[in-house]
């Protein structure tokens, strides 16, 4: 008997169960039931999923779910890599939190942890830096600026090391161009996991605005646990490119009842059908002018470039290059979905800028078009970079990037994900409040 082969086969079977579509979706729906229970416990608080994992656990039809993108990155909470990153400052959340008197922030994590670093450290850092900034900018000496971290996830040593960096991060935010609104009360993170026997009461007049850091998944040994009819996978929403077969959170929740009724053998076919149906839905091809750029750039989502428009300068973002489309006026930029597309996006930017500049130099030509297969792809990010690289703050075209340097590019701000559009829109509106 070859014990090594048996062990290897067992490991393969375990890995298959972890990445199995049925197990992942069943686990997500089980975890979302806990999220729903927390939502019902705090009906007055707005709720937001943290990009990207959290979106799988939040039904967008729930009344409390906000339309604002939220991105607290776990990397900013990794040991010895702690940071308050102004590229992910989430300042747009402050009015939402003030109006709603708090926020429920949903995320998840894979095996080995009860909380993702985003909730255990990145959000606490954010809360303390925001509080310190408000206390200094509006001279409120009584504002609570202390760092709060969960003792079961952050050691005293790590807590003190993070604390020592807070003033520097506060200076960074104070010296930025962000407008920080005054809050009535300081922010304070509160952590909730499925392991909690009771949910913390938030009744009465609180002295703070609670940020409920909700980790949706149960903490199970090895990140996987056999249950009746399926294998529970902790943090199933993470790294969806590995298992989702193109399914997105929005498509999951649009078809959630059908998915609930589907068995393991039929699940791949059902999901493939849903994805195919979503891809063939006809989307609007109305071109939307960016008035801030005097309508010299126009945006749209369209399944493919129109051959009849072959003389109109167009940058088209696609997940694959259509063989039939060929024109000197059309630049095709193949950019994959998810994390895999980030490098492709960065590499495509210089070519996109040169192409746009070449066409925009001729003022007699029609406006520059930027389009993509979906309204939620990287095309909007491309358009934003063109605005930053080739136009001044008044929306006047001023030429190629060499004439002004690359320091103002928004490269790090573009999120290649199924929620890229609202994230990029919010970033642009923060910098250009009068833009469309």
């Amino acid at each position: 008997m070859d014990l090594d082969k048996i062990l290897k086969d067992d490991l393969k079977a375990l890995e298959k169960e972890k990445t199995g579509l049925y197990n992942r979706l069943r686990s997500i729906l089980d975890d979302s039931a806990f999220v729903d229970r927390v939502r019902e416990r705090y009906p007055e608080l707005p709720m937001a999923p943290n990009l990207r994992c959290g979106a799988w656990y939040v039904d967008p039809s729930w009344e409390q779910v906000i339309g604002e993108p939220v991105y607290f990155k776990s990397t900013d909470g990794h040991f010895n890599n702690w940071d308050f990153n102004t590229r992910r400052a989430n300042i747009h959340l402050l009015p939402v939190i003030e109006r709603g008197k708090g926020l429920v922030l949903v995320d998840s994590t894979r095996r080995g942890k009860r909380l993702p670093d985003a909730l255990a450290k990145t959000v606490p850092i954010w809360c303390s830096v925001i509080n310190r900034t408000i206390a200094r900018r509006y001279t409120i000496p009584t504002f609570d600026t202390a760092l709060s971290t969960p003792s079961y996830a952050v050691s005293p040593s790590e807590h003190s090391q993070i604390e020592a960096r807070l003033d520097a991060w506060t200076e960074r935010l104070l010296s930025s161009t962000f407008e920080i609104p005054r809050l009535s009360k300081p922010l304070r993170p509160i952590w909730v996991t499925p392991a909690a026997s009771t949910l913390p009461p938030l009744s009465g007049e609180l002295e703070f605005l609670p940020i409920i850091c909700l980790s949706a998944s149960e903490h199970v040994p090895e990140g996987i646990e056999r249950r009746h009819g399926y294998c529970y996978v902790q943090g199933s929403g993470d790294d969806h490119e590995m298992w989702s077969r193109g399914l997105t959170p929005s498509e999951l929740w649009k078809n959630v009842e059908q998915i609930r009724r589907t068995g393991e053998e039929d699940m791949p076919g059902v999901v493939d059908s849903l994805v195919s149906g979503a891809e063939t839905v006809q989307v609007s091809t109305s071109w939307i002018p960016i008035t801030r750029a005097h309508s010299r750039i126009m945006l749209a989502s369209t399944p493919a470039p129109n051959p009849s428009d072959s003389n109109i300068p167009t940058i088209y973002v696609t997940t694959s290059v259509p063989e039939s489309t060929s024109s000197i006026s059309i630049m095709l930029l193949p950019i994959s979905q998810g994390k895999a597309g980030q490098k492709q996006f960065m590499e495509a930017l210089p070519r996109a800028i040169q192409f746009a500049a070449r066409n925009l130099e001729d003022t007699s030509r029609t406006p520059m078009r930027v389009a993509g297969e979906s309204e939620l792809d990287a095309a909007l990010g491309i358009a934003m970079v063109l605005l930053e690289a080739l136009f001044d703050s008044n929306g006047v075209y001023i030429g190629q990037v060499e004439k002004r340097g690359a320091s103002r590019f928004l490269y790090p701000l573009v999120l290649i994900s199924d929620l890229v559009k609202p994230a990029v829109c919010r970033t642009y509106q923060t910098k250009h409040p009068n833009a469309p």
Side-chain angles (χ1 to χ4, degrees):
M1 181 180 293
D2 189 342
L3 293 178
D4 287 342
K5 184 178 184 304
I6 293 174
L7 179 60
K8 187 177 294 185
D9 289 344
D10 287 345
L11 289 174
K12 283 185 178 179
L14 182 63
E15 193 60 32
K16 185 176 180 180
E17 289 180 339
K18 284 184 179 180
T19 58
L21 181 64
Y22 180 79
N23 291 331
R24 291 275 184 160
L25 292 175
R26 276 291 304 271
S27 302
I28 286 171
L29 294 178
D30 279 3
D31 290 340
S32 71
F34 174 67
V35 175
D36 193 20
R37 185 160 69 90
V38 175
R39 178 183 72 91
E40 291 177 344
R41 179 67 176 82
Y42 307 114
E44 72 285 356
L45 294 182
M47 174 177 281
N50 191 28
L51 294 177
R52 297 181 306 151
C53 179
W56 289 97
Y57 303 94
V58 176
D59 185 342
S61 69
W62 290 339
E63 184 179 355
Q64 296 97 320
V65 177
I66 66 173
E68 307 286 350
V70 181
Y71 190 32
F72 292 100
K73 195 171 183 179
S74 281
T75 305
D76 295 334
H78 287 177
F79 187 84
N80 213 30
N81 194 55
W82 314 288
D83 195 14
F84 178 92
N85 198 318
T86 52
R87 294 174 301 186
R88 297 179 284 274
N90 292 295
I91 303 302
H92 63 283
L93 287 180
L94 298 180
V96 175
I97 294 170
E98 177 70 20
R99 289 193 302 269
K101 302 186 185 304
L103 179 72
V104 178
L105 179 63
V106 182
D107 205 349
S108 183
T109 189
R110 291 175 290 180
R111 68 177 183 180
K113 295 180 179 180
R114 289 170 59 185
L115 290 169
D117 283 345
L119 297 185
K121 288 173 278 188
T122 307
V123 172
I125 288 170
W126 182 78
C127 290
S128 183
V129 170
I130 293 295
N131 290 340
R132 289 168 184 243
T133 300
I134 291 173
R136 289 183 54 183
R137 178 158 292 178
Y138 297 102
T139 317
I140 313 174
T142 58
F143 222 58
D144 184 6
T145 61
L147 174 68
S148 297
T149 56
S151 58
Y152 57 84
V154 181
S155 69
S157 173
E158 185 174 11
H159 179 100
S160 62
Q161 291 180 70
I162 294 172
E163 201 168 35
R165 292 164 167 80
L166 291 173
D167 285 339
W169 294 328
T170 302
E171 289 291 345
R172 181 191 301 171
L173 183 56
L174 282 166
S175 62
S176 73
T177 58
F178 285 112
E179 294 183 8
I180 312 299
R182 179 169 181 164
L183 298 178
S184 59
K185 301 173 183 178
L187 307 174
R188 182 181 297 177
I190 298 173
W191 299 273
V192 173
T193 74
S197 56
T198 59
L199 298 176
L202 294 178
S203 57
E205 186 65 26
L206 301 176
E207 296 180 352
F208 55 88
L209 297 171
I211 308 299
I212 305 295
C213 298
L214 170 56
S215 186
S217 294
E218 295 183 40
H219 182 209
V220 297
E222 301 303 321
I224 188 168
E225 181 177 85
R226 295 188 185 278
R227 297 184 178 177
H228 181 67
Y230 79 109
C231 284
Y232 175 81
V233 182
Q234 180 181 345
S236 283
D238 206 8
D239 292 331
H240 64 264
E241 296 90 353
M242 294 172 46
W243 59 267
S244 68
R245 301 173 74 97
L247 186 71
T248 63
S250 59
E251 287 302 315
L252 163 67
W253 289 106
K254 284 178 187 176
N255 303 279
V256 64
E257 293 308 320
Q258 181 180 2
I259 288 174
R260 289 186 196 277
R261 295 191 302 265
T262 302
E264 184 170 8
E265 291 186 2
D266 296 331
M267 188 67 80
V270 168
V271 167
D272 289 346
S273 177
L274 294 175
V275 171
S276 176
E279 289 175 348
T280 56
V281 171
Q282 293 298 311
V283 294
S284 172
T285 54
S286 299
W287 292 94
I288 303 171
I290 299 179
T291 56
R292 186 71 176 179
H294 303 287
S295 300
R296 298 204 64 198
I297 295 179
M298 305 184 76
L299 286 168
S301 58
T302 178
N306 191 335
S308 64
D309 294 337
S310 58
N311 292 323
I312 300 176
T314 303
I315 296 174
Y316 183 72
V317 180
T318 176
T319 54
S320 61
V321 179
E323 295 181 1
S324 59
T325 303
S326 177
S327 169
I328 60 172
S329 294
I330 297 178
M331 168 174 277
L332 298 173
L333 297 179
I335 298 177
S336 303
Q337 295 292 326
K339 293 181 180 178
Q342 293 183 12
K343 182 178 179 182
Q344 296 169 335
F345 180 85
M346 298 289 284
E347 292 174 345
L349 291 181
R351 291 187 290 128
I353 293 168
Q354 292 174 8
F355 177 84
R358 188 166 63 248
N359 287 282
L360 289 168
E361 290 284 354
D362 185 355
T363 57
S364 66
R365 296 204 67 175
T366 56
M368 181 80 221
R369 290 181 171 183
V370 182
E373 295 173 329
S374 164
E375 65 174 356
L376 299 178
D377 65 13
L380 184 58
I382 296 288
M384 283 188 57
V385 171
L386 298 183
L387 290 173
E388 289 290 323
L390 303 174
F391 292 80
D392 66 14
S393 59
N394 295 315
V396 177
Y397 177 77
I398 60 173
Q400 294 190 50
V401 64
E402 287 81 6
K403 298 178 182 178
R404 60 187 297 196
S407 62
R408 293 181 59 194
F409 279 9
L410 296 178
Y411 292 179
L413 294 172
V414 181
L415 310 177
I416 312 299
S417 73
D418 59 352
L419 294 174
V420 64
K421 184 174 181 179
V424 176
C425 279
R426 177 57 56 187
T427 302
Y428 184 68
Q429 289 169 359
T430 299
K431 294 192 66 176
H432 304 280
N434 297 320

